Amino acid sequence: MTRRHRLLALLVAVLWGLNFVAIDLGLHPAPGEDVPPLLFVALRFTLVVLPWIFFVRKPAVSWAAILGVGLFMSAGQFGLLYLAISLGMPAGLASLVLQAQVLLTVLLAAVFLGERPRGLQLAGLLVGALGLVVVAVGRSAVAPVLPLVVVLAAALSWAAGNVIARKARAASGLGLVVWSGMVVPLPLLGLSLVVDGPAAVGDALLHLGTVTIASAFYTALLASLVGYGIWNHLLALYEPASVVPFTLLVPVVGMGTAWLVLAEVPSAVEMVGAVILLAGVATALARARGTAHERGAGLSTGGAHQVSGAARDEDHQPEGAS
């Protein structure tokens, strides 16, 4: 992976880490006030789609790919994640458990795309998984079982969306985010009407507070449009095993922000787990840097081989080149 793409991946990790606290604040804007989670997801993706869909061209992928990414990476992942946080899952712990998608993505990519992780990449992912287990054990005493299971289901949905996005290889990551976002608002609004009732939905829409509105704009514009635009672009260029290790940094940002903003203080065990996570990231990325000249062999067949040549050229650019 080139230097510029590594920096973009780090930016995504920061945006997504902050995203969990933004979601928590939006769902619980004040004591005793809650916004229906599925309605909140529908609002988020309404902002993702409108007005951008009139200015962003449809990506050159099939409608099946757009539907798949919308259902799994957007509706499934965030519908389940918002539901878990509304059920009491701490935002910091949610940012950690959701990173189970790293291992699930690599597993699904191996099964459906035939992309096997290299030796040290696999070792890095295993070390990262150990860090996730350590932090999860540190928080298990305060995390209800049901929200934990719901977040794991969200991780599986994200992993499936990753693989679909990788297979689609959309040239425009932003286009894929916007157009696949069309799948989300109406179905989740309908589910919210069924689950929460028309009265609760109507009352929430009529009394949206400043915090909830700010949260919706952050999650839509920065976490979704910017974050997933970059993410889908990177998945089109590189194997998931080279891209997904960066998301192991998300819980470090998420837990740190939850500590500062929501007073979710990490325990000593959680801090040890965070260090192990960083060690896993370093191990996986060391292999990715070491194989920059092997990119042609590492990417799947098709148009990605042309991308690999450009990536190798960019790795040889002077220090200030973009």
Side-chain angles (χ1 to χ4, degrees), residues 52-258:
W52 316 108
I53 198 165
F54 299 109
F55 303 99
V56 178
R57 181 176 300 178
K58 175 185 173 295
V61 299
S62 67
W63 282 105
I66 291 174
L67 179 63
V69 171
L71 285 176
F72 289 100
M73 190 179 286
S74 299
Q77 178 194 172
F78 289 107
L80 292 167
L81 175 62
Y82 280 49
L83 177 61
I85 293 178
S86 73
L87 291 173
M89 189 70 168
L93 184 59
S95 72
L96 167 75
V97 176
L98 192 63
Q99 300 321 305
Q101 62 87 16
V102 172
L103 299 178
L104 294 170
T105 296
V106 174
L107 176 63
L108 293 180
V111 172
F112 293 103
L113 302 180
E115 296 180 349
R116 302 296 190 270
R118 300 177 180 88
L120 282 181
Q121 283 181 323
L122 181 58
L125 292 176
L126 291 176
V127 172
L130 175 61
L132 293 175
V133 171
V134 171
V135 181
V137 169
R139 294 299 296 268
S140 61
V142 297
V145 175
L146 178 59
L148 186 68
V149 172
V150 175
V151 176
L152 286 173
L156 179 60
S157 186
W158 185 3
N162 284 340
V163 173
I164 295 171
R166 167 65 177 166
K167 187 173 182 179
R169 298 182 185 276
S172 170
L174 178 62
L176 186 57
V177 171
V178 173
W179 282 79
S180 65
M182 290 192 305
V183 177
V184 181
L186 289 180
L188 289 195
L189 174 60
L191 281 176
S192 184
L193 288 170
V194 172
V195 173
D196 303 302
V201 170
D203 183 68
L205 290 175
L206 290 174
H207 298 92
L208 288 177
T210 303
V211 173
T212 299
I213 293 172
S215 170
F217 272 98
Y218 176 87
T219 57
L221 300 183
L222 293 178
S224 284
L225 290 175
V226 176
Y228 274 95
I230 295 172
W231 181 254
N232 289 334
H233 178 64
L234 293 177
L235 283 174
L237 296 179
Y238 301 100
E239 294 177 1
S242 295
V243 179
V244 295
F246 281 94
T247 62
L248 290 172
L249 293 171
V250 172
V252 178
V253 177
M255 294 179 71
T257 307

Side-chain angles (χ1 to χ4, degrees), residues 1-2 118 238 287-298 308-309 311-317:
M1 183 178 288
T2 68
R118 300 177 180 88
Y238 301 100
R287 176 60 175 171
R289 290 192 295 269
T291 57
H293 300 289
E294 303 169 11
R295 190 68 61 205
S308 71
R312 289 195 300 273
D313 291 342
E314 187 172 344
D315 269 343
H316 288 88
Q317 288 182 347

Side-chain angles (χ1 to χ4, degrees), residues 238-286:
Y238 301 100
E239 294 177 1
S242 295
V243 179
V244 295
F246 281 94
T247 62
L248 290 172
L249 293 171
V250 172
V252 178
V253 177
M255 294 179 71
T257 307
W259 183 1
L260 294 174
V261 178
L262 303 176
E264 294 180 7
V265 181
S267 66
V269 175
E270 291 168 332
M271 295 303 294
V272 170
V275 171
I276 297 174
L277 280 175
L278 290 175
V281 172
T283 302
L285 296 183

